[in-house]
Amino acid sequence: MTSPETSDYRLSRPFVARFVGAYLLVFALVVFGFTGFVAVTDSLPPDVLVVLLVVGLVGLFGLGSWLRSKAYVVRLGAEGYEVKMIRGAGVKQAAWSEVEDVVTASPRDIPCVVLRLSGGRTTTVPVEALAVDREQFVRELQDHIDRGLGLRPI
């Protein structure tokens, strides 16, 4: 359970669709291969295919549900932040005291928020991957940084 000082940002719908699509592709290949195996060998009854389909569909709904409700891409907490599910993010976790600057950038025409950390390290978050408005994310990120550093609004 997350505290009131914690904000989770989930995957946007297009990214959820990509994950589900990849699952469906892999699942179709598994069913195709297993069907060929059952047809050629006669060692397993065809009813096993029905069980495989049911298990795969339950997995599909479970994955979709988890991606939409439980999995988060960015978690902003009282002490710092954590980034998951983004390959090229750079530093995946840091304390607010390590953040020196926050800027926006567009590498390869992808709008991103870049957190510059002490020691020249960075964390890059593509805001299109988040299910939140870009401006709202930046405002809430700045609020978390200010609170994490002990700053109060004037």
Side-chain angles (χ1 to χ4, degrees):
M1 180 125 166
T2 59
S3 71
E5 295 179 357
T6 302
S7 300
D8 289 344
Y9 299 93
R10 308 210 184 288
L11 278 174
S12 65
R13 290 180 189 264
F15 281 84
V16 170
R18 287 182 188 179
F19 276 104
V20 170
Y23 176 88
L24 285 172
L25 180 65
V26 170
F27 179 55
L29 292 172
V30 168
V31 168
F32 180 75
F34 205 73
T35 301
F37 176 77
V38 169
V40 170
T41 62
D42 277 342
S43 63
L44 294 172
D47 295 341
V48 173
L49 294 174
V50 174
V51 172
L52 177 65
L53 286 172
V54 168
V55 168
L57 290 176
V58 168
L60 174 66
F61 288 110
L63 174 67
S65 174
W66 178 74
L67 286 172
R68 288 298 304 150
S69 64
K70 302 261 189 252
Y72 62 89
V73 179
V74 177
R75 174 172 281 169
L76 306 177
E79 302 297 320
Y81 68 90
E82 181 181 10
V83 178
K84 291 183 173 182
M85 303 174 76
I86 297 178
R87 279 183 297 185
V91 178
K92 300 278 187 165
Q93 187 174 8
W96 295 126
S97 60
E98 297 178 62
V99 177
E100 293 180 348
D101 192 14
V102 179
V103 296
T104 59
S106 295
R108 289 179 265 156
D109 293 328
I110 300 169
C112 297
V113 172
V114 179
L115 290 95
R116 295 180 186 162
L117 307 174
S118 56
R121 302 171 300 147
T122 62
T123 300
T124 304
V125 179
V127 291
E128 290 178 344
L130 304 177
V132 67
D133 178 62
R134 163 183 335 176
E135 302 300 323
Q136 178 184 352
F137 175 69
V138 171
R139 279 191 306 271
E140 291 175 8
L141 175 62
Q142 191 61 52
D143 290 344
H144 275 277
I145 292 171
D146 290 346
R147 279 196 310 268
L149 296 175
L151 303 175
R152 292 188 204 179
I154 298 176

